């Protein structure tokens, strides 16, 4: 039995806000001519920037993002299935963990919540790691075939960014998501279609797993030619270094080549 929740992300050319880092994740590529902010309104497609102010998260699933109350209200008929599904998964995870007590499968009763916070804290790093692990700079076609699975170990800590360490990473067939959770898979497919309509290459999927709880992080990716990141072979070492130290100050190296 596995519990899934989703944390959507978009990846664009390096975007630096004058305010603090956003918790919803990085951006890879600027769909069309627009720079990609850290959040995208799920209704109208507006992009969050320092000028627009922070977008709001749905209070139910704490995942989907909106630029205004109007967009949130208009999207509810489409969003309610995923929203309720996510909330139910979170509740079921906590109830099951409380019932069975601490174990390797549920080392903490708030495991799902802690995993979501950890993912949010390291979203920039995770997005960059997915881009490197899938070798999207050299082989963009990989985005259609593979997903990055990150196996984590729980580590008690007062700091949400330090509550997990990386046990292993591996590429798995992207189709694994279809079998794991059809509701989340359908939402990822919707984001993928939106990304490609806007000129992107699709959605890179990251599965963060700890015990029986998984966090699904879809990363919308624009053409690699628009992304000023070099291919890096030391991506796993970098990923482990930042997560082990609980550091959230990751900034992706930018290519100096023209």
């Amino acid at each position: 039995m596995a519990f899934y929740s989703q944390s959507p992300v978009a990846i664009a050319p390096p975007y630096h806000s004058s305010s603090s880092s956003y918790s919803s994740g990085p951006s890879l590529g600027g769909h069309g001519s627009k720079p990609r902010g850290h959040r995208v309104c799920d209704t109208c497609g507006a992009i969050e920037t320092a000028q627009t102010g922070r977008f709001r998260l749905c209070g139910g699933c704490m995942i989907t993002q909106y630029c205004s109350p109007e967009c949130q209200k208009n999207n509810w008929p489409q969003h309610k299935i995923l929203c309720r599904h996510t909330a139910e998964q979170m509740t079921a995870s906590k109830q099951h963990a409380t019932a069975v007590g601490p174990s390797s499968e549920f080392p903490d009763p708030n495991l799902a919540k802690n995993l979501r916070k950890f993912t949010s804290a390291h979203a920039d790093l995770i997005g960059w790691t997915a881009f490197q692990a899938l070798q999207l700079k050299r082989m963009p076609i990989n985005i259609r075939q593979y997903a990055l699975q990150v196996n984590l170990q729980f580590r008690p800590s007062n700091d949400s960014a330090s509550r997990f360490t990386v046990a292993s990473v591996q590429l798995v067939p992207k189709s694994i998501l279809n079998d794991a959770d059809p509701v989340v898979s359908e939402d990822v497919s919707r984001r993928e279609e939106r990304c490609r309509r806007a000129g992107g290459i699709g959605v890179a999927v990251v599965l963060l797993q700890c015990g029986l709880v998984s966090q699904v992080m879809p990363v919308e990716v624009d053409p690699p030619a628009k992304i000023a990141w070099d291919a890096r072979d030391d991506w796993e070492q970098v990923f482990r270094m930042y997560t082990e130290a609980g550091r959230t100050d990751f900034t992706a190296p930018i290519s100096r080549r023209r």
Side-chain angles (χ1 to χ4, degrees):
M1 176 173 54
F3 299 95
Y4 283 80
S5 58
Q6 188 183 37
S7 176
V9 178
I11 300 187
Y15 167 78
H16 300 287
S17 167
S18 58
S19 61
S20 60
S21 299
Y22 301 123
S23 62
S24 63
S27 290
L28 249 188
H31 290 2
S33 59
K34 297 179 180 179
R36 210 55 160 134
H38 287 203
R39 293 180 178 175
V40 179
C41 178
D42 205 55
T43 303
C44 68
I47 299 168
E48 182 188 74
T49 66
Q51 288 70 41
T52 64
R54 295 188 65 176
F55 285 4
R56 60 174 55 207
L57 289 176
C58 170
C61 66
M62 297 301 292
I63 292 171
T64 305
Q65 306 140 6
Y66 300 103
C67 66
S68 67
E70 291 74 23
C71 275
Q72 184 172 7
K73 181 179 179 180
N74 292 337
N75 193 46
W76 176 244
Q78 292 75 39
H79 175 60
K80 62 182 178 181
I81 296 176
L82 177 66
C83 184
R84 291 170 178 170
H85 174 72
T86 302
E88 289 171 359
Q89 294 281 35
M90 295 284 287
T91 300
S93 173
K94 185 171 182 177
Q95 290 177 343
H96 187 78
T98 301
V100 303
S103 67
S104 59
E105 296 178 341
F106 288 96
D108 182 82
N110 292 310
L111 185 62
K113 182 178 180 180
N114 286 329
L115 184 55
R116 178 174 294 181
K117 288 184 176 181
F118 176 85
T119 302
S120 178
H122 293 290
D124 289 318
L125 173 65
I126 295 170
W128 176 84
T129 300
F131 181 81
Q132 299 296 345
L134 293 171
Q135 300 183 54
L136 297 183
K137 192 75 171 181
R138 297 183 290 243
M139 301 179 66
I141 190 64
N142 282 349
I143 201 170
R144 297 175 179 264
Q145 301 173 333
Y146 301 104
L148 174 63
Q149 179 171 317
V150 180
N151 299 306
L152 300 168
Q153 290 183 334
F154 181 72
R155 176 174 63 179
S157 173
N158 293 328
D159 180 10
S160 59
S162 300
R163 289 184 182 140
F164 297 89
T165 58
V166 178
S168 64
V169 295
Q170 61 185 344
L171 295 185
V172 296
K174 195 173 183 180
S175 59
I176 193 175
L177 186 59
N178 299 330
D179 301 327
D181 193 318
V183 175
V184 171
S185 177
E186 182 177 348
D187 191 69
V188 170
S189 296
R190 178 183 64 84
R191 296 176 186 279
E192 196 148 37
E193 182 179 346
R194 178 179 67 186
C195 179
R196 287 175 179 155
R197 282 201 311 266
I201 64 173
V203 172
V205 172
V206 183
L207 305 172
L208 297 106
Q209 180 94 26
C210 183
L212 291 183
V213 175
S214 293
Q215 176 85 25
V216 181
M217 181 170 156
V219 183
E220 297 180 37
V221 183
D222 272 1
K226 293 185 177 181
I227 302 171
W229 294 349
D230 283 328
R232 294 282 295 266
D233 294 327
D234 62 342
W235 58 267
E236 183 176 349
Q237 179 182 350
V238 173
F239 183 48
R240 287 176 177 274
M241 179 182 70
Y242 275 86
T243 53
E244 180 69 29
R247 291 177 54 183
T248 58
D249 59 341
F250 174 79
T251 300
I254 299 175
S255 174
R256 296 182 180 276
R257 293 178 295 183
R258 300 291 182 180

